[in-house]
Amino acid sequence: MRRRTKIAIGVIAAVVVLGITIIISMVRNGFSSMDEPSAMEAFMATTMRRMAVPSDLKDAKNPLPLTPELLAEGRAHFADHCAGCHGNDGKGQTSMGPKFYPKVPDMTKDDTQSQSDGALFATIENGIRLTGMPAFGNGTAESAYGSWGLVHFIRHLPKLTPEEIADMENLNPKSPEECMEAAFLAGGEEGAATPTTSTHSSPPHGH
Amino acid sequence: MKHWIGKTTAGSSIGIALLLLVVACGGKQTVASRSAEALREAQKKGVAPGGASHGGHSAAAGDHATATDTTGDHATMTGMDHSTMTAGEGHDQ
């Protein structure tokens, strides 16, 4: 056997042994979503996410002109549907955000802000496989309108003011207990005494 | 000759593998593309889908309780029942 072949076999054997050791170690210790993804995992996930954006949306610009009304709609939408995981400020520091795997990202940072409008839109509409990000789209113009509005709001996140955050807190979904407390504080003792089966303070809605 | 057959076989195998990967991953238009297309069509027809978008929030009024949209129903969404969740707290061991 030639020397080069022997070295190649040795390297392959070492890699196999190392791989088996890692797998045994992982299986023995189990997995937790509290762990930090490794650099390799993060690289692969980022690459896959980039590849998952449909080609017609990759470099798409937001087709809706930015207006104060649309931004306000996007803010309200975000407060209701997104803030539970992403936080009103989009930084992901919620009770659940850091417990996802991968962690809920800080959307004010470059990782998110450097993505194209179309990529952000695709993420909202399609979700991201093997993460906590669900698909919110339904293939309608209304869905697209809401998602493009959210893209405008995501762009606005780094410039969010404390007043806007305070406004959003009124729009966040409430637990039944919070609803009852709010009703009680508003003087509606009847409402407070009658727990509702609804888990949201708003009427049911899609998306 | 033998070399040529080997290359062709390898190329075909890679091609078939890629095709299978595309088929396995879906290979059809995504919801995002369909939504974007629907909006483009609506804009072409001059229909403005605005207002009660996904949630029908009355953002300008800033009143969550006055939202009037009834196009969807969270109650029918499996795996998204908030009723047993206490704001994500109390899970720490």
Side-chain angles (χ1 to χ4, degrees):
Chain A
M1 198 181 286
R2 282 162 59 181
R3 191 162 175 268
R4 219 186 297 173
T5 311
K6 280 182 184 171
I7 291 171
I9 291 172
V11 169
I12 291 168
V15 169
V16 168
V17 169
L18 187 68
I20 290 171
T21 309
I22 291 170
I23 289 169
I24 290 172
S25 165
M26 286 167 79
V27 169
R28 184 177 290 173
N29 295 326
F31 301 95
S32 168
S33 62
M34 295 296 280
D35 296 337
E36 282 293 335
S38 65
M40 175 60 80
E41 211 175 353
F43 171 75
M44 285 169 64
T46 310
T47 306
M48 289 299 288
R49 188 190 64 195
R50 215 172 17 242
M51 287 169 67
V53 179
S55 55
D56 59 325
L57 290 168
K58 266 200 167 71
D59 300 312
K61 295 263 183 287
N62 198 327
L64 302 178
L66 177 61
T67 62
E69 292 76 26
L70 185 58
L71 192 61
E73 281 182 45
R75 190 172 66 232
H77 195 165
F78 191 92
D80 191 19
H81 292 90
C82 316
C85 296
H86 290 284
N88 285 327
D89 60 3
K91 292 184 176 175
Q93 293 306 307
T94 60
S95 57
M96 291 188 287
K99 297 175 184 176
F100 278 100
Y101 193 90
K103 313 296 169 206
V104 174
D106 181 344
M107 295 203 292
T108 63
K109 296 259 175 74
D110 202 44
D111 274 351
T112 299
Q113 295 297 326
S114 64
Q115 291 182 43
S116 69
D117 289 350
L120 295 176
F121 176 84
T123 297
I124 297 164
E125 288 273 321
N126 287 339
I128 305 175
R129 289 185 183 188
L130 306 179
T131 73
M133 180 66 191
F136 286 106
N138 60 18
T140 64
E142 287 74 20
S143 173
Y145 179 88
S147 297
W148 285 121
L150 281 172
V151 171
H152 274 313
F153 179 70
I154 290 167
R155 296 282 183 229
H156 177 70
L157 278 171
K159 296 168 275 182
L160 204 63
T161 65
E163 292 75 28
E164 286 176 303
I165 291 175
D167 183 46
M168 290 172 79
E169 283 166 6
N170 296 322
L171 302 170
N172 292 145
K174 306 281 188 295
S175 68
E177 291 77 17
E178 288 170 321
C179 289
M180 287 166 68
E181 190 183 332
F184 181 78
L185 289 173
E189 288 184 15
E190 193 179 318
T194 316
T196 162
T197 51
S198 169
T199 55
H200 270 243
S201 57
S202 64
H205 45 250
H207 185 83
Chain B
M1 180 71 181
K2 202 175 172 185
H3 191 62
W4 179 82
I5 292 170
K7 272 187 177 175
T8 308
T9 309
S12 304
S13 303
I14 292 170
I16 291 167
L18 285 173
L19 194 68
L20 285 173
L21 190 69
V22 168
V23 171
C25 291
K28 59 179 187 284
Q29 201 179 30
T30 67
V31 168
S33 296
R34 281 190 279 133
S35 297
E37 182 63 30
L39 182 65
R40 275 194 292 271
E41 290 298 318
Q43 285 179 322
K44 267 185 207 165
K45 289 175 189 166
V47 180
S53 61
H54 301 159
H57 297 283
S58 177
D63 183 359
H64 199 50
T66 59
T68 54
D69 177 77
T70 55
T71 56
D73 185 0
H74 269 199
T76 62
M77 296 170 75
T78 53
M80 296 191 78
D81 181 7
H82 292 202
S83 62
T84 56
M85 296 171 71
T86 54
E89 290 167 357
H91 296 288
D92 293 323
Q93 298 296 320

